[in-house]
Amino acid sequence: MKKLILVFFLSIYSYAINPIMLPLKGVKVEHTYSNGKKENYTIERQNYKECLNLAVDVETFQSENLASSKVHKKCKKTFITTKGTIQPLFLHKDIKTFAELEVLEFIENKSSKKPENFILVDSRTKDWFNKGTIPSAVNIPYDELEYDEDFELEYERAFKLLGIKIEDKNNYDFTHAKTALFFCNGSWCAQSPRAIKTLIKIGFPKEKILWYRGGVAAWVGVSLPLTDELK
């Protein structure tokens, strides 16, 4: 009985210290594709029957590819590891770096409930976004945050989505700027860092900028879903 009581209080203590570590139920969102099509998604870990009885041991996990060749393909992911530039853990002392649970909490309690104040931003170009993204993300390509007279409409769209009012070429009103969580392909991807640095340069409030460093690679690496490819 004493052991049960101890476990109970330890559980309560653990939750009080770090509630986000508790298993999260599926987060239901509506995703809008680049062509305007809308689709409902439930964001939750994808568990396949082929993966349920995998032994967590050296033989199964620790090889050159960090997964035994005997492991079913549904239970592992394959990534390119020789491209890009490894990014730091923190882009700026005033900007928070998020991991998967914080991203899920942001989607569930902020961007999906108050889109007028919060936004999840896929900083990759449109072709990447259409291939598959985190459900409910909005595509604001990193290069559309810099003025180009040939792409003025895209530039204006990007700033409007972020809640920025363009007063003239070098002056902006951030009164209604949204809190934005940026991501791209992975910890080696420079697209979301470039978007963030561009916004810092023009004076966007740093306390309203968040960064998911792991991006798509880390997201699927823990079996969280992407949207379907837009055909």
Side-chain angles (χ1 to χ4, degrees):
M1 184 64 180
K2 289 183 179 179
K3 289 183 178 179
L4 288 174
I5 294 174
L6 178 61
V7 169
F8 174 75
F9 279 106
L10 285 174
S11 299
I12 294 176
Y13 177 78
S14 176
Y15 175 71
I17 295 297
N18 199 353
I20 200 168
M21 292 305 293
L22 288 179
L24 294 175
K25 59 184 179 181
V27 177
K28 297 182 184 300
V29 299
E30 181 181 74
H31 180 77
T32 303
Y33 290 89
S34 61
N35 64 356
K37 174 187 174 184
K38 296 182 183 295
E39 190 167 346
N40 293 321
Y41 281 89
T42 299
I43 304 175
E44 59 187 356
R45 295 193 78 177
Q46 297 172 311
N47 295 313
Y48 302 101
K49 65 179 186 299
E50 294 88 348
C51 309
L52 295 178
N53 296 317
L54 284 181
V56 183
D57 57 26
V58 174
E59 183 179 355
T60 300
F61 282 84
Q62 191 62 45
S63 67
E64 184 179 349
N65 292 313
L66 300 182
S68 167
S69 60
K70 299 177 182 178
V71 175
H72 195 283
K73 65 180 180 180
K74 288 184 178 179
C75 313
K76 56 187 178 182
K77 304 291 183 183
T78 301
F79 303 103
I80 300 296
T81 60
T82 57
K83 295 293 183 180
T85 302
I86 298 174
Q87 301 300 311
L89 180 59
F90 300 106
L91 290 177
H92 189 282
K93 63 182 180 65
D94 297 323
I95 293 175
K96 293 180 180 179
T97 302
F98 274 19
E100 291 71 43
L101 291 180
E102 288 84 6
V103 175
L104 282 166
E105 193 276 334
F106 181 87
I107 294 171
E108 182 175 29
N109 297 318
K110 294 182 171 65
S111 62
S112 64
K113 291 184 177 180
K114 297 180 179 180
E116 69 279 7
N117 296 324
F118 301 91
I119 185 171
L120 175 65
V121 179
D122 186 337
S123 298
R124 303 175 301 164
T125 53
K126 186 177 178 180
D127 54 340
W128 284 102
F129 180 77
N130 288 342
K131 188 73 176 177
T133 188
I134 297 174
S136 77
V138 177
N139 189 210
I140 304 179
Y142 71 97
D143 53 357
E144 292 181 3
L145 293 173
E146 297 180 278
Y147 181 78
D148 185 329
E149 61 181 9
D150 293 327
F151 297 95
E152 190 168 353
L153 290 177
E154 289 82 357
Y155 173 78
E156 291 175 351
R157 167 191 171 273
F159 277 56
K160 183 177 181 180
L161 285 170
L162 290 169
I164 306 170
K165 182 179 179 181
I166 303 172
E167 297 187 332
D168 57 49
K169 191 174 180 179
N170 297 306
N171 290 289
Y172 310 93
D173 182 354
F174 300 107
T175 303
H176 301 292
K178 299 178 183 181
T179 297
L181 172 54
F182 295 85
F183 70 91
C184 54
N185 278 317
S187 58
W188 44 267
C189 176
Q191 295 179 36
S192 54
R194 180 170 167 179
I196 290 171
K197 290 172 184 176
T198 297
L199 290 175
I200 291 175
K201 186 177 179 180
I202 67 170
F204 193 96
K206 290 185 284 293
E207 67 273 13
K208 291 192 172 185
I209 299 175
L210 305 168
W211 182 41
Y212 176 28
R213 179 180 182 269
V216 170
W219 186 261
V220 299
V222 292
S223 295
L224 288 167
L226 297 178
T227 57
D228 296 330
E229 181 177 358
L230 182 62
K231 302 296 185 181

